Amino acid sequence: MSDTNLIKKYLRPFYRRTSKRMFKFLKLDELMDMLLQINHRAFTIEEELQKLKKIQAATNLILSGQDSYQNELYRKYEIAPLEIFDLSTAIAGESKSEIDIINFIDRTGLDFANKTVTIIGGNSDLYAHILQKKGAKKIHRIESNPQISKDIEENNVSFIYPLNLGKASREHCDILLIPSASWTTLLSSRSFAGFGSFVKESIILQSRVNSQTSYSSSLEPAIFDDDGRLSLNDNYLRRQLHLSGFVEVECIYTEGVYIDNYFDLKVTKFNQLNGFTIIKKNRRPTKDQLLKIKDSTEKIYIGRKLPSKKYLS
Amino acid sequence: MKTTFLFYGFGAEYVLHSLYEELLKRGEACIEIDALTTLDSRRLIKRLTAKPVVLLTSAHLLLDRKSFTDFYPTKSKFYSVLEIISLIKPLKTFFFPHDLTEPLIEYEEKYLNQLDLFLSPGEPFTTIFSQYVMTEEVGWIKYKKNNSRPKKPNRSKQKNAIWFLSDFIIYINMGKVAAYEFLSPILSQGISMKLPLWESSEEFEKYFIEKGVKMYPARENAIELIQNHDITITNGLSSIIAESYYLGKTTVNIKERSHYGNKLSHLENQFPDLIFYENIVDFTLSEVPKKMRKPTLKPFDMKKTIELITKL
């Protein structure tokens, strides 16, 4: 037998068997897979980093007033609108028609006579004027100040950078009014800047919520609507209100297309051991094909410090 | 119409009886409701609607029937403090904490502004809660002036210790025989014991006495007992920890089978000299160091309290 044949017959199978065992023993395949995965993740992180840098740059431009959220560029990044829209809106100040402002106060149905009221946002003196006409004893307004480092106090109006509100000194009041959906979005994830402990009777707020969440909704904070804005889930907003010291929460009015106010009947109640429970349910929704998961609408919520007499346990 | 003083609380968490008795002596119209022993306290409360009422309570503000019965089934029908305020709109509402270690539990702080006065046992609570509600310091309601004089200090080398057993429900479920076996490594060291006032406490007391343990009746005043012992043993979270600590006594906490929720670090920070033992078998009385501090707990000022609550 020649040398070549000898190798073919004995050495090659031995080599194959040994190398196979060696590969198995050293787990080379698994290590290779892991290396590939690490490599892939490094790429993903790099991509995310680039995206975040762009968002940061966009945010800087918006906050410095050199650009606005309306720029189509920012809508291309899914994460970019996260709070930027609301922060820039709160800073720039939302403008509402006088009729809308009057309707907002009327729809709450509350008695403001002899009450102390704090208004956060709204960007209009008309709220205070209406409340004064309704007999409010004392009104304090808080509006946004684009400068982080400097708070201004002027004629019973405090100008504070929105995200610094939790650090500012708070006054006790009977009713807290947040008529701007953007302020609500910013404050709801920040425990309403600790105002819950300082409100004696109720909080009234306007909030941008998912149209369909009046029937069932997640405790997850938000979805994005078709315009790329944050739109809160009904249950999330309720939980935030309950955890901020409001034992009973109800939605009192809905605005927007395809919404039937008839369905806004849901009232929730809080206790510290079981969280919050629904004590009054909404009616079954009609199957409206026009209502999309990404439709958002503005609703008025009332959180009460004490349970209403009709909902005692 | 004469003002009615409504005293309201839940079982062992009701600590206002002495105040109720004092106001009765002064000829005031008073109603005392222990929501757990009164079968239908709602009926009594509804009768007070539209009458001038001053509410005095030591109950948790948010504890309503639904949340209570989910954990401790009871046939009693009752309202939470917030529901009572909503229903009868009292002229004034006064709150006394029933637990010195944790005067308010989670979320309660946010409802403090529903009260007119928080009667504080002392600092740091007087200052902390004054951000949300008016506070007045009146001392600790379980610490009576007449028991502020302890017996002569124990000068013998032998330390005397008492265990105020908490988390009693665990031992009830265990049964008295198994409970004694479990607790005996400490009780066999000549340590006396006081149980919380509970349905089964008398039965346990009898059995433990048979086994040679010196038992103090569950109704006995805890402050007096703390004062008359060198070392206070506790387990889990209880007001006794703070009471003993602020009375300047060496305070021990047994962790075995204890429930702290997420409050263990809070306990460690609030009471840095508290001595922890992981297991019952680790405890040896002779090895427990004596850590005497100046007592800071103030006795209850009945006169000041009466003045505050009758000043309308």
Side-chain angles (χ1 to χ4, degrees):
Chain A
M1 199 185 282
S2 69
D3 280 355
T4 327
N5 284 341
L6 205 69
I7 286 169
K8 270 185 185 168
K9 189 170 181 189
Y10 297 107
L11 213 54
R12 196 174 281 168
F14 172 74
Y15 170 76
R16 275 186 188 148
R17 225 173 19 241
T18 317
S19 64
K20 207 173 178 180
R21 275 186 189 170
M22 283 285 281
F23 268 100
K24 207 173 174 185
F25 176 70
L26 290 171
K27 298 181 177 171
L28 281 178
D29 288 345
E30 285 175 32
L31 286 171
M32 194 65 90
D33 271 359
M34 277 171 73
L35 267 172
L36 279 169
Q37 273 185 37
I38 290 167
N39 207 17
H40 175 71
R41 283 185 188 186
F43 275 121
T44 315
I45 289 167
E46 185 66 29
E47 274 175 17
E48 292 293 324
L49 197 66
Q50 287 305 322
K51 208 186 268 181
L52 283 171
K53 277 181 182 172
K54 282 175 188 168
I55 292 165
Q56 193 192 17
T59 317
N60 289 343
L61 282 171
I62 291 171
L63 294 181
S64 66
Q66 292 173 50
D67 206 337
S68 87
Y69 173 77
Q70 302 308 318
N71 191 332
E72 283 293 319
L73 174 74
Y74 307 125
R75 299 189 185 198
K76 287 180 187 168
Y77 308 116
E78 206 187 334
I79 317 164
L82 187 75
E83 290 199 338
I84 296 176
F85 170 79
D86 293 301
L87 190 55
S88 58
T89 309
I91 286 173
E94 223 167 342
S95 57
K96 276 187 184 172
S97 75
E98 292 183 339
I99 291 170
D100 280 346
I101 293 173
I102 293 166
N103 283 344
F104 172 78
I105 305 270
D106 282 345
R107 279 164 192 162
T108 64
L110 291 186
D111 179 13
F112 292 94
N114 293 318
K115 307 284 182 199
T116 51
V117 186
T118 298
I119 309 168
I120 300 178
N123 191 35
S124 170
D125 196 35
L126 188 56
Y127 290 102
H129 180 71
I130 299 165
L131 293 175
Q132 220 158 23
K133 278 189 76 181
K134 287 184 179 286
K137 190 166 66 182
K138 194 182 165 200
I139 300 155
H140 179 232
R141 283 177 59 203
I142 295 171
E143 287 293 346
S144 63
N145 177 4
Q147 287 176 287
I148 295 175
S149 57
K150 200 176 167 189
D151 294 345
I152 304 164
E153 191 75 35
E154 237 173 49
N155 299 330
N156 222 15
V157 185
S158 308
F159 293 89
I160 301 167
Y161 183 73
L163 303 185
N164 275 4
L165 199 54
K167 296 176 198 161
S169 64
R170 281 147 295 195
E171 283 178 27
H172 287 268
C173 65
D174 295 318
I175 298 169
L176 177 67
L177 210 66
I178 310 177
S180 153
S182 286
W183 273 92
T184 300
T185 309
L186 292 175
L187 295 180
S188 61
S189 58
R190 293 175 174 80
S191 310
F192 292 96
F195 268 87
S197 306
F198 295 86
V199 178
K200 178 115 178 151
E201 287 180 17
S202 44
I203 184 172
I204 305 160
L205 51 85
Q206 180 101 9
S207 181
R208 193 184 316 112
V209 289
N210 181 219
S211 306
Q212 292 186 326
T213 53
S214 56
Y215 317 121
S216 64
S217 85
S218 156
L219 280 177
E220 288 299 310
I223 54 130
F224 295 95
D225 70 7
D226 278 347
D227 292 327
R229 303 168 305 180
L230 276 174
S231 175
L232 299 177
N233 276 323
D234 172 71
N235 277 344
Y236 170 76
L237 182 62
R238 281 172 188 276
R239 186 171 65 172
Q240 295 307 94
L241 283 166
H242 285 306
L243 297 183
S244 293
F246 298 95
V247 79
E248 193 179 293
V249 175
E250 65 175 317
C251 176
I252 59 161
Y253 196 79
T254 300
E255 283 181 340
V257 284
Y258 312 129
I259 298 300
D260 187 347
N261 294 326
Y262 197 55
F263 293 122
D264 281 336
L265 301 168
K266 187 174 166 184
V267 181
T268 48
K269 197 173 176 183
F270 177 73
N271 70 55
Q272 59 207 119
L273 297 174
N274 295 323
F276 75 84
T277 43
I278 299 167
I279 51 170
K280 192 177 180 192
K281 285 181 183 174
N282 281 319
R283 303 270 177 101
R284 281 172 69 86
T286 46
K287 283 181 182 173
D288 190 343
Q289 295 302 316
L290 292 165
L291 209 63
K292 289 186 293 175
I293 190 76
K294 286 201 167 184
D295 273 335
S296 70
T297 188
E298 292 204 355
K299 293 185 180 186
I300 300 169
Y301 283 80
I302 290 193
R304 295 179 211 279
K305 267 279 148 118
L306 292 174
S308 312
K309 281 181 190 172
K310 58 180 172 179
Y311 298 126
L312 296 183
S313 62
Chain B
M1 197 186 283
K2 199 174 179 186
T3 302
T4 305
F5 290 85
L6 170 62
F7 290 79
Y8 192 77
F10 292 84
E13 295 180 353
Y14 175 67
V15 293
L16 309 176
H17 185 67
S18 58
L19 194 61
Y20 164 78
E21 282 185 325
E22 192 61 34
L23 275 185
L24 269 187
K25 265 191 232 164
R26 289 171 189 239
E28 300 288 354
C30 300
I31 297 175
E32 189 179 45
I33 296 176
D34 175 349
L36 296 187
T37 51
T38 313
L39 206 59
D40 188 1
S41 58
R42 288 180 183 183
R43 207 162 35 89
L44 294 169
I45 285 161
K46 274 180 191 161
R47 276 192 214 148
L48 296 171
T49 318
K51 285 183 182 166
V53 176
V54 169
L55 173 64
L56 299 109
T57 185
S58 61
H60 289 299
L61 302 174
L62 285 157
L63 193 70
D64 62 11
R65 189 171 188 271
K66 184 175 182 350
S67 53
F68 188 86
T69 46
D70 279 358
F71 290 86
Y72 304 101
T74 174
K75 285 179 182 168
S76 298
K77 289 177 183 171
F78 52 82
Y79 286 127
S80 72
V81 175
L82 289 185
E83 286 174 327
I84 294 175
I85 297 174
S86 174
L87 197 66
I88 65 173
K89 296 201 177 351
L91 299 170
K92 297 264 176 187
T93 305
F94 298 95
F95 180 82
F96 294 77
H98 61 259
D99 188 325
L100 195 58
T101 301
E102 206 186 5
L104 295 177
I105 57 171
E106 209 176 8
Y107 307 118
E108 275 187 323
E109 205 174 273
K110 295 185 167 65
Y111 295 89
L112 272 180
N113 65 355
Q114 297 307 305
L115 311 168
D116 292 285
L117 190 62
F118 176 89
L119 290 147
S120 168
E123 291 292 6
F125 312 117
T126 317
T127 304
I128 293 172
F129 300 142
S130 66
Q131 299 174 81
Y132 314 112
V133 62
M134 198 192 284
T135 57
E136 279 286 350
E137 204 164 297
V138 291
W140 181 228
I141 197 156
K142 294 181 190 171
Y143 185 9
K144 308 282 177 331
K145 268 186 181 154
N146 57 7
N147 61 28
S148 60
R149 278 185 200 161
K151 282 180 192 168
K152 279 183 183 175
N154 176 21
R155 299 203 185 280
S156 66
K157 278 187 180 174
Q158 198 166 352
K159 300 165 198 164
N160 63 350
I162 180 166
W163 189 350
F164 293 88
L165 194 72
S166 299
D167 289 336
F168 190 42
I169 190 79
I170 297 172
Y171 302 98
I172 292 174
N173 292 338
M174 212 184 255
K176 60 189 178 198
V177 179
Y180 176 76
E181 287 300 314
F182 181 72
L183 302 169
S184 62
I186 289 185
L187 296 179
S188 61
Q189 294 179 48
I191 287 158
S192 39
M193 180 174 260
K194 180 187 170 292
L195 301 173
L197 191 57
W198 208 269
E199 281 172 3
S200 319
S201 41
E202 250 181 66
E203 185 194 333
F204 270 67
E205 270 170 24
K206 271 184 197 164
Y207 183 77
F208 281 24
I209 289 167
E210 277 171 25
K211 290 285 172 186
V213 182
K214 185 172 183 187
M215 297 297 291
Y216 288 96
R219 287 187 187 276
E220 195 137 332
N221 185 291
I223 298 285
E224 221 163 272
L225 291 174
I226 293 168
Q227 285 178 319
N228 293 329
H229 287 83
D230 301 314
I231 293 160
T232 308
I233 304 169
T234 61
N235 58 301
L237 267 177
S238 93
S239 183
I240 299 289
I241 299 170
E243 287 166 13
S244 166
Y245 198 91
Y246 293 139
L247 281 168
K249 294 288 180 174
T250 305
T251 313
V252 168
N253 189 269
I254 309 287
K255 284 185 176 175
E256 192 170 354
R257 295 206 180 203
S258 291
H259 287 127
Y260 299 97
N262 55 359
K263 299 284 177 184
L264 188 58
S265 60
H266 163 75
L267 212 57
E268 288 163 344
N269 295 335
Q270 198 180 343
F271 310 108
D273 277 352
L274 186 63
I275 304 163
F276 287 101
Y277 282 90
E278 285 296 332
N279 299 302
I280 284 177
V281 289
D282 299 338
F283 181 89
T284 310
L285 183 59
S286 58
E287 288 171 8
V288 177
K290 268 195 175 183
K291 291 188 174 184
M292 293 297 285
R293 288 171 308 277
K294 203 180 156 197
T296 52
L297 193 66
K298 290 175 188 162
F300 184 58
D301 190 337
M302 182 69 86
K303 195 180 159 206
K304 184 182 176 184
T305 311
I306 297 277
E307 270 171 26
L308 287 166
I309 59 179
T310 50
K311 192 173 70 186
L312 296 169

